[in-house]
Amino acid sequence: MNKQSEHSILPKANHDELARQNFVGSLKVYLARNITPGNQIVYEKLAKPKFEQEYQRAPQNRHEIRRLMENESYYRWWSALRRTTQEMLWDSVNSSIERQLPELVECTRRQGNKLGSLTLNPDLKIPAYQTAVDIHCMPGGYQGEFTEDDVAAGALYDRGVYLYALGQLGPLNDDMGQSVVQNYLKKQYPDFQPARILDLGCTVGHSTLPYVDAYPDAEVYAIDTGAALLRYAHARAEAMGKRVHFSQQNAERTNFADGSFDLIVSHILLHEMPVSAIRNVLQECYRLLAPGGMMVHAEAPLYGHMEAFNAFMFDWETKNNNEPFWSAMRDLDWMEVAVGAGFESEKVIQTFAANGVWKEKFAGGKSQNDGFGRRGTWLILAASK
């Protein structure tokens, strides 16, 4: 695993904290390489034959496969290990953040507004789907705030995502933004020069900053509902010399005027919300886009793009990792949702973008089902107005 790029806001791990983090990373690799593939062997040699003998047919979908595999001790053992590893990951980072949180808060305050801006809204009503559970078991979720000018959620996400993805998102965790920019927009629309860009659900700005570099003359805006995330995102961008205007808003309904943007993007945002909210977000994209403008949403592949067993393995996130909307989003008819939001069907595109940063293969085998997306690609939903 390559080393994460450091910046002045990133929490610094001491010897023991780094050792714990490295252990968790090594355990994740071991599970993915040595334990995860055994699930398919158990399915093919034990669970599937039992089903075929009883019903005289093969399992037809991930739901039937889950009911089989949940009775297999190997799968239950693997699932418990993976959930435990996820919790260990966050704990290993949290101990580092708790030790230096006052310094991190002070560091973010010192960054100021030399380049971009930060606008928070303490009266913003946070959607219940963002507070009901700690998304992907991250303590406090995206909305956790425990002290004045808190940035703990941002620091936890920045370091935690790097460990969770085992560096696959690149030293700056910016693979999704880079993939959309370099391997979709620049290739498919080389003459496209948006003047105003909006990143929805930016968290700490990992995928926002590639747009600053790709379109240096553009005004770049980014929104999220988490105040602690945005404080961290703003300070991180300032520390890295990137001009972004961050504001605390709900992507379902923003305060920007109609036709404000030429490009609206999101990166693994849609699977964090119910279908009703996804429909609202796409309607808001349509409202905010100027004529000729484009929206581009990057996600992991839909279940329709997978074999039933791989869909079952991906579905582990919904059942065991506090991702309650993961599966519903991956069952969506994206064309229907985009057209329902106002886009013309001939202007809606579903495609894949090659990985923009990750250069090394994580592990051998057909599919490890242990990362954000199908290995080496992101699913793209794009539409122009």
Side-chain angles (χ1 to χ4, degrees):
M1 183 169 67
N2 296 324
K3 185 178 181 182
Q4 184 174 7
S5 293
E6 295 187 2
H7 51 81
S8 59
I9 315 300
L10 185 71
K12 308 297 190 294
N14 61 29
H15 176 276
D16 289 356
E17 293 161 351
L18 184 60
R20 289 183 65 199
Q21 293 172 14
N22 287 339
F23 171 77
V24 173
S26 297
L27 180 57
K28 283 174 62 65
V29 170
Y30 183 83
L31 286 175
R33 288 180 176 173
N34 299 90
I35 308 299
T36 300
N39 284 302
Q40 187 152 16
I41 296 174
V42 169
Y43 171 67
E44 296 290 348
K45 293 187 177 299
L46 296 176
K48 184 179 178 183
K50 293 176 186 176
F51 185 94
E52 291 173 334
Q53 183 176 19
E54 182 175 357
Y55 296 99
Q56 300 301 302
R57 63 175 176 84
Q60 295 179 341
N61 54 52
R62 69 181 190 276
H63 305 294
E64 290 186 341
I65 294 175
R66 182 187 309 110
R67 286 193 289 271
L68 289 174
M69 292 296 288
E70 285 178 345
N71 293 321
E72 299 294 338
S73 59
Y74 187 98
Y75 173 77
R76 295 200 303 268
W77 174 65
W78 167 83
S79 181
L81 282 173
R82 191 172 177 196
R83 171 62 184 245
T84 300
T85 304
Q86 180 78 345
E87 295 173 357
M88 290 170 61
L89 181 156
W90 297 119
D91 286 345
S92 72
V93 179
N94 248 341
S95 60
S96 177
I97 294 171
E98 290 171 356
R99 176 177 54 80
Q100 56 195 306
L101 184 57
E103 290 81 5
L104 291 173
V105 170
E106 183 58 33
C107 189
T108 60
R109 288 170 176 161
R110 289 198 303 266
Q111 290 299 325
N113 298 305
K114 304 180 185 69
L115 298 170
S117 62
L118 172 64
T119 304
L120 299 180
N121 178 9
D123 297 323
L124 178 68
K125 183 178 180 180
I126 307 300
Y129 58 79
Q130 286 285 299
T131 59
V133 298
D134 289 350
I135 300 293
H136 46 65
C137 300
M138 176 176 154
Y142 296 134
Q143 309 301 326
E145 274 198 84
F146 308 102
T147 187
E148 185 179 3
D149 294 337
D150 197 2
V151 294
L156 182 59
Y157 188 85
D158 194 5
R159 180 59 178 164
V161 164
Y162 184 81
L163 295 174
Y164 174 74
L166 298 168
Q168 293 180 29
L169 298 180
L172 290 171
N173 286 328
D174 62 354
D175 179 74
M176 283 169 283
Q178 293 287 0
S179 296
V180 173
V181 168
Q182 301 301 334
N183 293 333
Y184 181 68
L185 288 171
K186 291 291 187 179
K187 288 185 177 180
Q188 300 297 323
Y189 308 95
D191 298 326
F192 182 51
Q193 291 296 322
R196 286 168 60 92
I197 301 171
L198 174 62
D199 184 13
L200 303 174
C202 65
T203 56
V204 299
H206 288 150
S207 293
T208 312
L209 301 191
Y211 297 90
V212 178
D213 295 332
Y215 303 105
D217 295 328
E219 294 181 12
V220 178
Y221 294 78
I223 67 171
D224 206 287
T225 58
L229 293 176
L230 290 167
R231 292 188 194 99
Y232 187 93
H234 173 60
R236 178 178 180 270
E238 293 285 316
M240 297 174 67
K242 310 296 183 183
R243 186 191 306 274
V244 180
H245 300 291
F246 293 96
S247 59
Q248 187 178 13
Q249 301 193 52
N250 183 344
E252 294 185 64
R253 184 65 183 178
T254 70
N255 62 14
F256 299 112
D258 293 0
S260 292
F261 297 97
D262 305 297
L263 175 63
I264 300 175
V265 297
S266 78
H267 313 85
I268 59 170
L269 166 69
L270 300 182
H271 79 262
E272 304 283 26
M273 55 182 59
V275 172
S276 59
I278 294 175
R279 294 183 185 276
N280 291 339
V281 168
L282 265 60
Q283 290 172 8
E284 182 70 349
C285 288
Y286 188 83
R287 182 184 75 83
L288 292 176
L289 283 174
M294 186 187 317
M295 71 171 184
V296 182
H297 302 279
E299 271 287 352
L302 305 179
Y303 286 146
H305 300 137
M306 306 178 193
E307 296 178 354
F309 182 81
N310 285 339
F312 152 71
M313 291 294 286
F314 245 79
D315 205 34
W316 183 91
E317 300 285 344
T318 297
K319 299 296 180 180
N320 301 283
N321 197 32
N322 287 10
E323 291 279 14
F325 311 112
W326 175 282
S327 293
M329 186 239 113
R330 281 171 171 73
D331 278 332
L332 272 181
D333 180 343
W334 278 18
M335 177 64 74
E336 182 272 325
V337 176
V339 171
F343 294 94
E344 299 175 15
S345 59
E346 60 270 23
K347 294 183 179 181
V348 179
I349 298 171
Q350 292 185 61
T351 187
F352 290 92
N355 181 289
V357 172
W358 179 36
K359 303 300 183 184
E360 298 177 358
K361 295 203 174 204
F362 166 51
K366 186 176 179 181
S367 175
Q368 300 304 331
N369 296 288
D370 206 48
F372 283 106
R374 190 173 71 180
R375 194 164 60 195
T377 61
W378 295 104
L379 177 64
I380 299 294
L381 170 65
S384 56
K385 184 173 181 181

